[in-house]
Amino acid sequence: MKNFYRVFLAGLIALAMSASAAMAFQGFSIGVTASGNKFSTAGTETEGSGDSEKSTEGKATEMVALGSAFIEYTPVFGYFGLTIGIEHIPGTSSLGAKTRTDVAVATAQGGAENDTGNRTAKAEVSDLYTYYLEPTLVVGNAGYYLKGGLTTVDVKSLESLPNSTYSDPGTINGRMIGIGFKGTSEMGLGMKLEFTHTNFDEVSLTSSTGNLNTVTGDFDQTAGRVSIYYNF
């Protein structure tokens, strides 16, 4: 991950130095992105109800490298440009995988003997799409921009708890914000460098069997991103 940010910084310096020789980046662009991502996940598991209710909280952070593809269009009006685009991250990624082992207390002592076993908190995410806008300040042939967008992602529960079954939460939404810098060469090849943060909606799962446990969680994504694109 340290090497990724070194490459990111080196690319930013090189792009800034060559920006004066670049062409305008208006028009359509297609490209690919490599990103280093930090996923921060926090969740709560609630077991039982009433006087016997018990809640357990947990947090986890994971570093993940991802690749994506995008297409966008940028009209430029003097010193102002506005990019409209869509990005897709193919494939699947896993979040979590924390496991604990519980040993049940006998029912006569107020426990639940069928609660013995391993409990694994895990989810699978796939088909992440981001629809975004980039209002851009055009300085010479470079662009400095803010980024805002809506992200959708499919989430599949891989929770493994004794005697409990959870349904999948399906598609959840997130809101992205970020800042970036871009420029295009005379051949139409360009580079974008940006930092983004995405906050996703809370996910809530309720078991349909066993103790009818409830699991709630939310996750954030912070990323450093390097994109290469062709402008036409």
Side-chain angles (χ1 to χ4, degrees):
M1 188 59 63
K2 291 182 179 179
N3 289 335
F4 176 87
Y5 289 111
R6 288 171 183 162
V7 172
F8 187 95
L9 181 59
L12 179 62
I13 294 172
L15 188 56
M17 293 176 64
S18 63
S20 60
M23 295 175 61
F25 42 78
Q26 60 185 345
F28 283 97
S29 298
I30 56 174
V32 293
T33 299
S35 61
N37 301 266
K38 181 177 77 171
F39 286 95
S40 300
T41 309
T44 301
E45 177 193 353
T46 302
E47 302 178 70
S49 60
D51 295 336
S52 62
E53 182 177 290
K54 181 178 68 174
S55 295
T56 303
E57 297 182 353
K59 295 182 179 180
T61 300
E62 297 184 52
M63 306 301 293
V64 181
L66 295 172
S68 61
F70 65 89
I71 183 169
E72 59 187 29
Y73 176 72
T74 306
V76 177
F77 309 96
Y79 291 99
F80 177 76
L82 180 63
T83 297
I84 304 169
I86 178 173
E87 178 183 24
H88 179 224
I89 298 179
T92 61
S93 299
S94 295
L95 299 178
K98 297 290 186 179
T99 300
R100 80 170 194 264
T101 300
D102 289 348
V103 178
V105 177
T107 304
Q109 298 177 7
E113 294 178 350
N114 63 353
D115 273 352
T116 297
N118 294 327
R119 297 169 179 261
T120 301
K122 188 176 181 181
E124 181 181 85
V125 296
S126 61
D127 285 332
L128 191 151
Y129 285 90
T130 300
Y131 309 87
Y132 58 88
L133 295 175
E134 293 173 356
T136 304
L137 173 64
V138 180
V139 180
N141 293 308
Y144 301 85
Y145 60 88
L146 300 176
K147 186 167 191 157
L150 173 66
T151 296
T152 66
V153 62
D154 293 336
V155 180
K156 180 179 180 180
S157 172
L158 300 179
E159 294 278 348
S160 175
L161 285 81
N163 305 298
S164 297
T165 302
Y166 294 93
S167 59
D168 293 328
T171 301
I172 63 172
N173 297 322
R175 287 149 295 281
M176 171 193 281
I177 57 173
I179 58 173
F181 177 83
K182 62 182 176 181
T184 307
S185 72
E186 294 180 358
M187 296 182 295
L189 295 177
M191 178 181 288
K192 298 174 69 174
L193 304 169
E194 62 186 31
F195 282 104
T196 63
H197 179 79
T198 305
N199 178 258
F200 290 90
D201 292 341
E202 182 180 85
V203 177
S204 181
L205 306 173
T206 301
S207 173
S208 58
T209 60
N211 291 338
L212 303 181
N213 299 348
T214 298
V215 177
T216 59
D218 65 277
F219 62 97
D220 297 339
Q221 175 190 13
T222 302
R225 299 156 51 88
V226 179
S227 302
I228 298 175
Y229 63 87
Y230 178 69
N231 177 256
F232 57 95

